Amino acid sequence: MSAFVDEVAERAMAALRGEDPVKAARMLREVLAESPGRLDLVHALAVTELRMGDAADALATARAGIAEAFRTQDETAAMMMSQLKLVEASAAEDLGMPDVAIAAYDAILEVEPEHPRARQGKGHAQIAWGKLREGLHSLDRYLEDKADEQPFLEAAELFVDDLRRFLRDDIHPKEFLAAHRGSYVEMFDHYAEKMAKEGWIAEAARMMRDEDGRVVPIIPEGARPYAAVRVDLVNPRDGQPGRIGDQPMLVALADYAPLAQAPVVVEWPSGDWPFRVAVCSQVPWNDLSVQITSPSGDAEALARVLDPVVGDWYRAGFDGAFGSQDAGRLHEISDLEPIPGGVRFSVDCGRAELGAVDDLLRRLTVLHASHPLRCVLLGRGYPLSEA
């Protein structure tokens, strides 16, 4: 049986190396049904699920392996524990649970105080959660330990130095938004002007005729009634759409380039808004993530009261409230999706003015009077917890 298990496991690893994680996961599950105690294969399955984007499955698999390791308490279990804990931490981060991730990193560090991946991972998780002082302390310890390869240490040192300089210079986090918007709009203008010479139209709405013959926006199936869509460019001769940038556009803030390499969540100066607001160093304008939490943490209840507010804001921007009737309009919006403690949605802001963000925050301020909010995070990372 052992030889069979090893053979199937090797074929699964070959599938994974060949960029076929679905096949690898299927084979690993089959072999684990026969040998559930093989922690190396449990780890391989959890990593594979993580690569497939199945963070919840990866978390469950890693935790099952951790429980088995605690049960057996043998040499193999001790060797695999930290690797399983690293997967647990990564999966928790993907699921928006930085507290769980940090606890997993701490569990590793209790046994291996100089574990470089755990020490560095903890620091970046803290920084992505807005806990900048704690994160810098963790990364300082990582640099002091010198337990990692030199290129990683050098990159971390640049990141730490730039973050400290950013905080010392008292830069408003709104500058992250301004940098991302400015660079994206510059690129958009370049391609829009180039394609206009060939007759292409920028920021055209997707339209159709309804049963009464009226021209109305096309709403994607299953989307909210306000979720009309504009395409970046369209050829009016045949309706062919064109997209400017097929990925979220990440931009480095001038003089602080290393901060674009990982999420850095910086709180907006207090007093401007009645709830906590933060901006991430990774806040692409063509895929602006807005994460909102409430004191109750009830995502469903929060989504109900947020939906009309977000809908009115989006419709206004779609019609040119943050630009004009010809340019600078919101292009596309996602549904409100649950996250731990709240909800998130994303918006392709096109060439809308930066004032679109302030307008959204003003609308949320009105909502806050009747339905308290805890935090609004613009960009990637994790919403701020209690102060």
Side-chain angles (χ1 to χ4, degrees):
M1 179 63 72
S2 178
F4 169 76
V5 168
D6 290 340
E7 179 185 348
V8 176
E10 179 53 38
R11 296 209 315 268
M13 293 300 97
L16 189 58
R17 290 191 294 270
E19 300 300 323
D20 192 350
V22 174
K23 179 180 178 181
R26 185 181 68 251
M27 297 180 73
L28 286 166
R29 291 189 184 106
E30 288 175 357
V31 75
L32 280 169
E34 300 291 336
S35 300
R38 283 285 298 268
L39 292 180
D40 56 335
L41 302 185
V42 174
H43 174 261
L45 176 58
V47 170
T48 303
E49 290 168 334
L50 205 56
R51 283 187 55 183
M52 293 165 60
D54 298 331
D57 287 345
L59 182 61
T61 300
R63 285 179 166 174
I66 291 166
E68 177 66 15
F70 273 119
R71 188 186 68 80
T72 56
Q73 293 286 321
D74 58 16
E75 185 176 344
T76 300
M79 183 177 63
M80 294 301 304
M81 182 65 81
S82 62
Q83 296 183 56
L84 289 164
K85 280 287 182 182
L86 284 177
V87 178
E88 180 186 27
S90 295
E93 288 181 287
D94 286 354
L95 292 168
M97 301 186 297
D99 52 337
V100 174
I102 290 169
Y105 290 130
D106 281 338
I108 297 171
L109 294 169
E110 285 181 12
V111 180
E112 303 175 67
E114 295 186 0
H115 194 293
R117 295 281 75 76
R119 185 67 68 185
Q120 185 183 47
K122 178 181 178 180
H124 280 294
Q126 290 169 318
I127 288 168
W129 200 10
K131 298 180 180 294
L132 303 183
R133 182 179 300 177
E134 296 94 325
L136 283 169
H137 177 75
S138 294
L139 292 181
D140 283 340
R141 176 68 184 275
Y142 164 78
L143 291 170
E144 291 166 5
D145 291 342
K146 291 183 170 57
D148 211 349
E149 297 177 19
Q150 192 61 29
F152 295 112
L153 292 169
E154 291 173 359
E157 186 171 13
L158 288 173
F159 180 87
V160 165
D161 289 347
D162 261 38
L163 179 51
R164 281 207 165 90
R165 186 163 55 85
F166 176 89
L167 297 174
R168 187 171 59 248
D169 293 345
D170 197 24
I171 305 298
H172 197 294
K174 195 174 181 178
E175 292 302 315
F176 289 131
L177 281 162
H180 279 82
R181 180 198 174 272
S183 292
Y184 179 71
V185 171
E186 182 180 359
M187 181 181 72
F188 197 117
D189 287 344
H190 169 76
Y191 285 106
E193 182 179 348
K194 177 181 177 181
M195 298 307 291
K197 296 174 182 177
E198 300 179 23
W200 289 61
I201 300 171
E203 300 191 56
R206 293 187 63 208
M207 308 293 284
M208 61 178 285
R209 290 193 181 276
D210 65 10
E211 294 177 354
D212 298 324
R214 296 172 300 181
V215 177
V216 296
I218 294 175
I219 307 297
E221 184 177 355
R224 303 301 297 154
Y226 52 77
V229 176
R230 292 188 181 278
V231 294
D232 294 344
L233 297 166
V234 65
N235 186 340
R237 292 187 293 273
D238 57 12
Q240 178 186 351
R243 190 172 185 87
I244 296 176
D246 59 355
Q247 296 292 330
M249 183 176 177
L250 291 175
V251 174
L253 186 61
D255 301 323
Y256 306 97
L259 302 189
Q261 303 304 311
V264 178
V265 170
V266 182
E267 186 164 7
W268 198 293
S270 61
D272 288 354
W273 310 104
F275 40 78
R276 301 181 79 185
V277 177
V279 185
C280 183
S281 60
Q282 295 182 341
V283 58
W285 194 245
N286 62 331
D287 187 29
L288 175 63
S289 172
V290 181
Q291 303 183 60
I292 305 173
T293 59
S294 68
S296 72
D298 187 334
E300 186 176 345
L302 181 58
R304 280 198 302 271
V305 297
L306 271 177
D307 190 65
V309 177
V310 171
D312 287 347
W313 172 77
Y314 180 74
R315 269 191 292 259
F318 186 85
D319 291 336
F322 316 125
S324 69
Q325 291 299 312
D326 300 316
R329 295 166 293 190
L330 301 181
H331 285 198
E332 193 169 359
I333 188 168
S334 73
D335 286 341
L336 300 177
E337 305 166 352
I339 60 172
V343 299
R344 72 170 295 275
F345 62 93
S346 60
V347 188
D348 180 346
C349 293
R351 291 185 286 182
E353 296 292 338
L354 197 58
V357 170
D358 290 311
D359 187 88
L360 174 61
L361 292 173
R362 283 192 290 269
R363 293 171 188 260
L364 293 176
T365 296
V366 174
L367 176 66
H368 177 75
S370 57
H371 296 84
L373 306 178
R374 170 175 287 166
C375 176
V376 177
L377 171 60
L378 303 164
R380 300 176 179 179
Y382 312 110
L384 304 173
S385 58
E386 293 287 357

